[in-house]
Amino acid sequence: MDIYRNSKQRDRVLEIVRDAKIHPTADWIYEKLKKEFPSLSMGNVYRNLNILVDQKKINKLHFGSTFDRFDGNIDRHYHFICEKCKAIIDLDLPIDEKLNDRVIKYKANSHKIQFYGICDKCEK
Amino acid sequence: MDIYRNSKQRDRVLEIVRDAKIHPTADWIYEKLKKEFPSLSMGNVYRNLNILVDQKKINKLHFGSTFDRFDGNIDRHYHFICEKCKAIIDLDLPIDEKLNDRVIKYKANSHKIQFYGICDKCEK
DNA sequence: CTGGATGCAAAGGGTTTGCACGTTT
DNA sequence: AAACGTGCAAACCCTTTGCATCCAG
């Protein structure tokens, strides 16, 4: 694959991932998009998700679960993960720019942080 | 499963995970242990790994790859991940006990950090 | 002797891929 | 027209599971 063409399906996959605040799974996107494109296939959803990751328009997340989740927010940010419902929530904590320098044995040029706890909804 | 009995295979799986500094995969453990127990099956390796995780003697890691990796170091620690060879290396950075408090919208009671960069070996 | 542990093989879940056809440029 | 995008189904990879047998307590 050299050049990417336009496709309505891919445009919609991107919009859906961006609009969803839940870091959706491929299956969730498929179910949603199948209403607009009844002939849609899972394979195509996966293909487009991978293309969008390749284009750096979205990110792939793999925390804990057996399946991938996708993040339409490509700005650097940390995540809060609910230990009960497994929701992944974007945090607006400032990025700790000095954190990488704390690693002395290696040259760290980026880092990820996940916080764990119980989300508002599960807290009741 | 109510009570766990002793089994030579499980004891060795634990030892192997603890001794390996590479956060091994189930397959790596299987290949290593098959030399000692020629009739060993993959299913049994997975079963024992899950039991050891259940017993909180080891941890399961899932960073990036499609397969699980296991960590015999159950003390809290951060990881450095080589972006080239995908090695996962334990760091001896002190745990930032105040970090959880930076999350104000939720009550975070733990966190994980992964640092990314190039490891010594890949740096040449 | 009872119930967990094992080997084997099959099934499972999520993701990828080959192919023929459809669509964009 | 050439090359990418799509649907379909099969293949893939890693992991789990059912069952008969084995072995620890």
Side-chain angles (χ1 to χ4, degrees):
Chain A
M1 234 173 272
D2 312 52
I3 300 163
Y4 293 120
R5 292 183 181 166
N6 285 342
S7 99
K8 284 166 192 162
Q9 282 93 330
R10 184 149 67 238
D11 291 346
R12 288 293 294 134
V13 169
L14 177 56
E15 285 177 25
I16 287 174
V17 175
R18 281 185 176 154
D19 292 350
K21 284 139 193 159
I22 61 161
H23 303 82
T25 61
D27 190 62
W28 189 89
I29 296 162
Y30 170 72
E31 291 302 337
K32 189 151 183 146
L33 206 48
K34 199 170 176 61
K35 292 168 190 160
E36 298 174 36
F37 302 92
S39 67
L40 184 70
S41 64
M42 271 300 299
N44 197 32
V45 172
Y46 276 107
R47 255 184 309 237
N48 280 322
L49 284 167
N50 286 332
I51 289 171
L52 291 168
V53 169
D54 186 51
Q55 295 177 326
K56 301 200 191 308
K57 291 179 178 172
I58 65 174
N59 283 127
K60 204 184 265 198
L61 306 178
H62 4 224
F63 304 141
S65 21
T66 57
F67 38 82
D68 294 339
R69 299 177 66 165
F70 297 87
D71 192 344
N73 178 1
I74 48 166
D75 294 333
R76 291 196 294 160
H77 60 283
Y78 301 136
H79 287 114
F80 180 87
I81 299 168
C82 176
E83 293 172 306
K84 198 167 177 188
C85 71
K86 309 301 177 191
I88 299 177
I89 301 167
D90 286 355
L91 294 174
D92 54 4
L93 280 191
I95 299 294
D96 185 342
E97 302 289 356
K98 294 173 186 161
L99 189 54
N100 293 341
D101 300 334
R102 298 249 293 273
V103 183
I104 38 182
K105 273 178 107 170
Y106 306 93
K107 189 158 56 56
N109 41 49
S110 69
H111 67 264
K112 291 181 185 171
I113 305 181
Q114 301 91 45
F115 293 91
Y116 294 85
I118 306 294
C119 75
D120 293 345
K121 284 175 190 162
C122 290
E123 198 71 87
K124 261 193 285 63
Chain B
M1 237 174 271
D2 312 51
I3 300 162
Y4 293 120
R5 292 183 181 166
N6 285 341
S7 99
K8 285 166 190 161
Q9 283 93 329
R10 184 149 67 238
D11 291 347
R12 288 293 294 131
V13 169
L14 177 56
E15 285 177 25
I16 288 174
V17 175
R18 280 187 176 153
D19 293 349
K21 284 141 194 157
I22 61 159
H23 303 81
T25 62
D27 190 62
W28 189 90
I29 297 162
Y30 170 73
E31 291 302 336
K32 190 150 183 148
L33 206 48
K34 199 167 177 62
K35 292 169 189 159
E36 298 174 35
F37 302 92
S39 66
L40 184 70
S41 64
M42 271 299 299
N44 197 34
V45 171
Y46 276 106
R47 255 185 309 239
N48 279 322
L49 284 167
N50 286 332
I51 288 172
L52 291 168
V53 169
D54 187 51
Q55 296 176 326
K56 300 199 191 309
K57 292 179 178 171
I58 64 174
N59 282 127
K60 204 183 264 197
L61 307 178
H62 4 221
F63 304 142
S65 21
T66 56
F67 37 83
D68 294 337
R69 298 177 67 165
F70 296 88
D71 192 344
N73 178 0
I74 48 166
D75 294 332
R76 290 195 294 159
H77 61 283
Y78 301 136
H79 288 113
F80 179 87
I81 300 168
C82 177
E83 294 173 305
K84 198 168 177 188
C85 71
K86 310 302 177 192
I88 299 176
I89 301 166
D90 286 355
L91 294 174
D92 54 4
L93 280 191
I95 299 293
D96 185 341
E97 302 290 355
K98 292 173 187 161
L99 189 53
N100 293 339
D101 300 334
R102 298 250 293 272
V103 183
I104 37 181
K105 272 178 107 169
Y106 305 93
K107 190 158 57 53
N109 41 48
S110 70
H111 68 265
K112 292 181 184 172
I113 305 181
Q114 300 91 45
F115 294 92
Y116 294 84
I118 305 295
C119 77
D120 294 345
K121 285 174 190 161
C122 290
E123 199 71 87
K124 261 192 284 61

